[in-house]
Amino acid sequence: MIAGMEQVAQRACTGALPGWDQVDLLVAEAYEYARRSTDGAVADYIPILAQADPELFGVAVAEVDGGRHGVGDVGTEFSLQSISKAFVYALVCQALGHDAVRERIGVDNTGLAFDSVIAIELNAGHPMNPMVNAGAIATTALLPGGSPGAKWEAARAGLSAFAGRPLELDDDVYRSEAATNQRNRAIARLLESYGRIEVDPLAAVDVYTRQCALRVTAADLAVMGATLADGGVNPVTGERVVSATVCRDTLAVLAANGLYQRSGEWLFDIGLPGKSGVAGGIVAVSPGKAGIGTFSPRLDPAGNSVRGKLATAHLSRALGLNIFASAPWRR
Ligand code: GLN
């Protein structure tokens, strides 16, 4: 933080979406636009993910006033995967505060793949980026709770509050990943060797693997995103999940890191904070306005859903959501 900046009152990003009917129309348009693409491939490094139907596709929007929209497979469940990193990060920021999380985890893009080990070595063990595996496992280790079971409960309860309904563990996904996640265990051990993880590293990986295996729908993702868009209050349940400051900090981290090493490209094309997961989900957040949730399992080489990116790009443009887009004041 620039010294003294917290003294300056933070004004909210404002503006409104067009009316409900117009948004509904544009969600349908974005769905049709993105559906034409059959590019990309379903993830298979976690064996069970390879079984996903590549044709599934859903686009959902949740507005901060509680308005909901959805087209396609918006009620189909899939595993949260890396999208959990965004919301667990918010929960940990809420528990520890801005400065402590910044010091311990960092906020910068590693520029390397989500499961990179080299990134840890290059940064002398500092995890740096909470949206890739090393930083995310270190973040999970900071969840409130004195035992792995309590941390898991904190993650599950917190993520459920974001979604506005109790999220369940997909046991098959959890077991498939737990049996094949040697790389994540190695990452946690490496963090331990640098003194960057203060709990049992393998227990932290286990909680992380569980949070990734929580089942959500595209409609859930939209509500989870809308909670970050709404200063931390879930617009459907009315529950305050995190503070407005935590939302601001989380969205900044998502803007810089949410789409792995393709985060710059995503920001350039779409101009919104977002987070993707390898099961094919993407959440995007338009601060003060809405959350967008998409699901389509075919991924680009970095692990981001191809149709999800296309649909979100369409909505960002058509709804005027790009946070960098302006028009001259004197027309
Ligand atoms: N659970 C997955 C992993 O750790 C999540 C990765 C992702 O969605 N990119 O490998």
Side-chain angles (χ1 to χ4, degrees), residues 45-46 81-82 85 114 133 177 184 208 212 260 277-278:
Y45 79 100
I46 299 172
Q81 297 300 339
S82 266
K85 292 167 175 150
F114 66 83
N133 293 11
E177 183 164 357
N184 285 343
Y208 165 79
C212 288
Y260 315 116
V278 290

Side-chain angles (χ1 to χ4, degrees), residues 46 48 169-178 213 215:
I46 299 172
I48 200 167
L169 182 76
D170 187 321
D171 220 44
D172 294 338
V173 170
Y174 165 67
R175 270 185 280 155
S176 181
E177 183 164 357
R215 282 204 202 111

Side-chain angles (χ1 to χ4, degrees), residues 10-155:
Q10 171 90 54
R11 293 192 58 187
C13 172
T14 55
L17 293 175
W20 190 93
D21 290 353
Q22 178 69 7
V23 176
D24 215 51
L25 208 72
L26 292 172
V27 171
E29 211 176 274
Y31 173 86
E32 289 305 332
Y33 167 77
R35 193 162 67 135
R36 291 197 290 259
S37 170
T38 54
D39 291 349
V42 173
D44 58 5
Y45 79 100
I46 299 172
I48 200 167
L49 295 184
Q51 296 170 16
D53 175 357
E55 286 309 323
L56 288 170
F57 182 37
V59 182
V61 170
E63 302 189 35
V64 293
D65 69 1
R68 309 280 296 269
H69 310 268
V71 179
D73 303 309
V74 290
T76 302
E77 291 193 315
F78 55 94
S79 53
L80 196 52
Q81 297 300 339
S82 266
I83 301 169
S84 66
K85 292 167 175 150
F87 297 95
V88 167
Y89 181 71
L91 295 172
V92 168
C93 284
Q94 182 69 38
L96 268 73
H98 181 100
D99 292 338
V101 178
R102 186 211 181 117
E103 201 282 311
R104 297 171 86 146
I105 311 289
V107 295
D108 279 317
N109 203 305
T110 60
L112 295 165
F114 66 83
D115 58 353
S116 176
V117 171
I118 294 173
I120 307 171
E121 288 294 314
L122 289 176
N123 295 297
H126 195 288
M128 249 173 81
N129 174 357
M131 296 301 131
V132 295
N133 293 11
I137 293 165
T139 304
T140 292
L142 295 173
L143 274 164
S147 66
K151 288 183 189 293
W152 161 234
E153 203 30 60

